[in-house]
Amino acid sequence: MSIQTPASGAGKLRRELSPLLPHLQLGASGMAALAGCDNSIEALDRLEQAGLLVEAARLLAYALPAREAVWWACACSRHTAASGDQPATETAAREAAEAWVRRPTDELRRAAMKEAEQAGFRSPEAWAAVAAFWSGDSMAPPEAPKVPPQPHFTGLAVAGAVALAAVRGLASRRDARLRHFLVSARDIAAGGAGRLEAEPG
């Protein structure tokens, strides 16, 4: 899938950094790397250059728009799916999240949450589906008064999905995987599909 955007390599990234900082869980090295930085695009470059790949991935989870972020979480989960036993419930959760990205209706958003529940909230796929659900205007049942999710909830779920995908199976592959994930996210931000080849089992 390609989500159209301007040609710039960071076309869809949220520019302003300050609203994102409280969610990035930066340590001293991360704060030092971002000293004097006020936009997410430069922040991403700095974190990568400093080797702070976990923090860079977390930044992208919050800086991408909701649909792009959920699509990225799905791409990351597909990349490492072969590194663990993939129950049908997890595949269904990812497919439900992808269905919402392609057609972001309330019905498909709620269907994604049901699949996340079936998957037990333990996998990248489940958290990608939760991210889709939290991208809507209410966490309450359809017939109940609306309970809006907090604005950062989608990013929180995407960050969790990406982090789980990075350590699935062989955690020693984490940094190499994160580098692939960051390339994927940049491609998505530029309007590409961000697809990643499936990792060998």
Side-chain angles (χ1 to χ4, degrees):
M1 175 180 174
S2 178
I3 303 174
Q4 294 302 315
T5 191
S8 166
K12 290 223 169 186
L13 291 183
R14 181 175 181 175
R15 296 302 207 272
E16 190 178 358
L17 180 62
S18 58
L20 310 181
L21 283 175
H23 309 299
L24 300 187
Q25 303 174 34
L26 295 175
S29 56
M31 294 299 293
L34 298 188
C37 181
D38 63 1
N39 74 83
S40 63
I41 299 165
E42 181 183 352
L44 176 60
D45 291 339
R46 289 192 189 187
L47 291 171
E48 282 195 79
Q49 290 165 9
L52 299 172
L53 304 180
V54 171
E55 291 82 352
R58 194 176 293 131
L59 170 63
L60 283 162
Y62 289 98
L64 283 166
R67 287 177 65 218
E68 285 79 356
V70 172
W71 185 256
W72 180 47
C74 292
C76 295
S77 78
R78 280 185 178 277
H79 180 65
T80 63
S83 295
D85 295 328
Q86 181 89 93
T89 53
E90 293 182 2
T91 301
R94 182 181 61 237
E95 290 175 348
E98 291 173 341
W100 174 83
V101 173
R102 294 187 179 99
R103 191 162 64 90
T105 65
D106 193 65
E107 179 183 4
L108 290 176
R109 178 179 73 89
R110 293 182 183 279
M113 188 59 166
K114 288 181 180 178
E115 296 296 347
E117 292 170 354
Q118 290 295 317
F121 303 108
R122 292 185 296 269
S123 66
E125 292 77 12
W127 283 101
V130 172
F133 177 69
W134 281 346
S135 298
D137 63 352
S138 179
M139 298 184 294
E143 68 279 3
K146 289 185 177 181
V147 179
Q150 292 295 311
H152 69 282
F153 275 16
T154 300
L156 180 67
V158 169
V162 172
L164 287 169
V167 299
R168 176 156 48 190
L170 292 173
S172 60
R173 295 180 178 177
R174 186 195 71 173
D175 286 358
R177 288 167 168 171
L178 285 172
R179 290 187 181 92
H180 288 306
F181 293 173
L182 297 179
V183 171
S184 170
R186 286 181 180 274
D187 183 52
I188 291 169
R195 293 193 184 279
L196 294 163
E197 291 187 8
E199 185 179 69

